[in-house]
Amino acid sequence: MDDSLTVFVSLMFFGLLLALGNVAPQAEAARAFFVFGDSLVDNGNNNYLATTARADAYPYGIDYPTHRATGRFSNGLNIPDLISEEIGSEPTLPYFSPELTGQKLLVGANFASAGIGILNDTGIQFINIIRISRQLQYFQQYQQRVSALIGPEQTQRLVNEALVLMTLGGNDFVNNYFLLPFSARSRQFSLPDYVVYLISEYRKILLSLYELGARRVLVTGTGPIGCVPAELAQHSRAGECAVELQQAAALFNPQLVQMLDGLNSEVGSHVFIGANAYAMNMDWITNPQAYGFVTSKVACCGQGPYNGIGLCTIVSNLCPNRDLYAFWDPFHPSEKANRLIVQMMMTGSSKYMSPMNLSTIMELDSRV
C-alpha cells in the first residue's frame, strides 16, 4: 500500500475511534427525565391548549437563549431546564410538542400544565389544562410510543432508571381554597382538614406514578405562597407575607414529608425524595441582598402594588435587570432564583432535601 494512503487510512481509523469515544460516554450517561406538575415546571404544553394559563408572549422568555416566549413561566430557564443541565441531559420537550418524536423521546418528556393542582377542581377557571390524572395517562401513552421504538423491556428500563420531578400543591391553595372568600372547598373543610385531604389525594397520585415505573421521584413541597408578589398586592400593608397562606404551607409541607417517608417504607426503598421548596425560597425572601437581589417583594414584570396585580404582559412594568429580582412575575421566581433552588436540590443539606440531595442520588445510581 502507498505510504500516503496508509497514513490516510490510519488517520481515518483514528478519527473514527475518537468519534466513537465521544459518543459512547454521552449515550451511557444519558438519563431520561420526566416532569409532572404545574406552572413552576410547565415548559410549553399549555401553548397547545385553549386556556388563559399561558406564557406564550413577550416579555416571557426575554432572557431565554432564543429571547422568545416558550410557554415557560420565566424570564429564561425554569427548574426542569436547570435540572437537565445538572444531570447532563438535553432539556425535555413538552409532551404536546410535534418535535417530540424518534430519538428525542428517549430524553424524556415534560407533561406539566400551568394551573393544575392535586385536586381536579383546582384551576377550573383556566378551563383547558392537563390535570394530573391526564398527565399520568399521557405518561402511559408515552411508554407505548417508546416501546414501539426500542421494545418493552428497554422502555421499562429507561423509565425505571429515569429521574422524575413532581411539583404540585400551591394551586390547591392559591387557585382553589383561597381563590374566593367563601370557596366551595373552604366551606367544605377547615384548613387543617383540607391539608389532610390534599395529602391523602397526593399519596394516590404518587402511588400511581410508582405503578407506572417511576423509581426516582423528586417531590417538591409548597413554597412560601403567602410571600409571592400577587399575594402581597392583595393582603399586605407593609410587605409582610399573607398569614393564612403561610399557615397553609406550614401545615402542608411537614405532612408531605411524613407521607413520602411512609411511601418509601411501603415500597422498600428511597423512591420519593422530598425537596423543601419552602426553606429554599425563604432563604432569599428573608434576605434577598445576601443572594444578590435588590428585592424579593416586587416582581420584575407586572403592575400595581409590588407589580403583583394581573398578568405579566407587553404593557406591564418591566425591570431592566432580571437578575436583581427574586420574582419574575406575580407568582413565579426569576431564572436566577430558579438556579438557587436547583443548586439546593443538587447539594443541599437535610434541611432542604430528604432523605438525600440530587448529587447523592446521582452518585448512588451511577454505581448500580
Side-chain angles (χ1 to χ4, degrees):
M1 190 184 284
D2 182 81
D3 284 350
S4 60
L5 185 60
T6 304
V7 170
F8 176 72
V9 171
S10 299
L11 284 171
M12 286 289 288
F13 182 67
F14 183 64
L16 180 62
L17 283 175
L18 272 178
L20 287 172
N22 286 337
V23 169
Q26 285 182 341
E28 195 181 340
R31 180 179 196 166
F33 181 36
F34 301 107
V35 182
F36 301 87
D38 57 28
S39 60
L40 289 166
V41 294
D42 182 357
N43 68 348
N45 281 310
N46 279 22
N47 285 2
Y48 300 93
L49 302 171
T51 177
T52 54
R54 292 165 70 143
D56 60 344
Y58 180 88
Y60 284 98
I62 189 170
D63 299 310
Y64 192 75
T66 59
H67 305 292
R68 291 186 173 184
T70 60
R72 291 163 173 82
F73 286 75
S74 172
N75 58 299
L77 303 178
N78 65 5
I79 288 168
D81 295 322
L82 299 167
I83 290 175
S84 292
E85 267 184 21
E86 291 285 355
I87 66 174
S89 176
E90 294 173 42
T92 53
L93 287 168
Y95 189 62
F96 283 4
S97 170
E99 292 175 43
L100 189 66
T101 57
Q103 293 297 307
K104 288 191 176 179
L105 283 162
L106 307 185
V107 174
N110 186 316
F111 302 89
S113 176
I116 73 143
I118 295 164
L119 305 182
N120 280 335
D121 55 293
T122 291
I124 50 171
Q125 70 272 32
F126 303 123
I127 305 165
N128 236 343
I129 49 181
I130 315 165
R131 311 210 175 276
I132 191 61
S133 54
R134 181 57 61 89
Q135 289 184 28
L136 295 178
Q137 285 170 14
Y138 284 136
F139 186 37
Q140 245 179 323
Q141 187 185 81
Y142 161 89
Q143 292 186 42
Q144 290 162 3
R145 290 172 67 188
V146 174
S147 276
L149 200 65
I150 61 172
E153 280 184 26
Q154 284 294 96
T155 300
Q156 186 179 347
R157 185 177 167 187
L158 179 140
V159 170
N160 288 165
E161 293 178 356
L163 181 67
V164 179
L165 175 65
M166 175 71 80
T167 297
L168 285 176
N171 282 326
D172 292 288
F173 298 108
V174 172
N175 281 308
N176 192 329
Y177 194 87
F178 292 108
L179 182 63
L180 301 166
F182 299 101
S183 67
R185 288 298 190 185
S186 67
R187 291 199 306 272
Q188 182 185 6
F189 291 108
S190 67
L191 182 59
D193 289 344
Y194 182 63
V195 169
V196 169
Y197 176 60
L198 283 181
I199 295 292
S200 69
E201 291 300 301
Y202 205 174
R203 190 179 188 280
K204 295 174 192 171
I205 291 162
L206 294 174
L207 268 178
S208 296
L209 190 57
Y210 179 81
E211 285 161 9
L212 289 170
R215 293 296 178 268
R216 281 294 192 203
V217 186
L218 189 59
V219 183
T220 62
T222 297
I225 46 180
C227 302
V228 301
E231 299 305 331
L232 297 186
Q234 290 183 62
H235 304 292
S236 182
R237 289 186 180 180
E240 73 282 2
C241 300
V243 174
E244 280 190 308
L245 283 155
Q246 289 296 87
Q247 186 193 354
L251 287 168
F252 180 85
N253 289 321
Q255 290 183 49
L256 176 64
V257 172
Q258 196 177 6
M259 181 263 279
L260 296 179
D261 288 344
L263 279 178
N264 285 337
S265 297
E266 196 174 308
V267 300
S269 66
H270 294 309
V271 170
F272 301 100
I273 312 296
N276 187 343
Y278 187 92
M280 293 174 187
N281 283 267
M282 283 308 286
D283 282 351
W284 45 258
I285 282 173
T286 52
N287 191 2
Q289 285 74 25
Y291 296 87
F293 299 121
V294 295
T295 178
S296 60
K297 298 184 188 302
V298 180
C300 167
C301 181
Q303 45 278 312
Y306 305 100
N307 278 345
I309 302 293
L311 303 169
C312 167
T313 69
I314 197 165
V315 296
S316 297
N317 301 320
L318 180 66
C319 68
N321 185 350
R322 274 69 65 183
D323 283 350
L324 297 179
Y325 285 71
F327 283 98
W328 156 244
D329 71 8
F331 284 105
H332 304 97
S334 62
E335 178 183 318
K336 183 178 173 182
N338 282 332
R339 284 189 180 277
L340 293 171
I341 291 165
V342 171
Q343 204 47 56
M344 284 293 98
M345 288 178 174
M346 291 303 299
T347 61
S349 67
S350 56
K351 174 186 173 183
Y352 303 101
M353 299 294 295
S354 172
M356 65 188 104
N357 61 37
L358 203 40
S359 294
T360 307
I361 290 169
M362 301 300 287
E363 173 62 25
L364 285 173
D365 292 350
S366 70
R367 297 177 193 167
V368 176

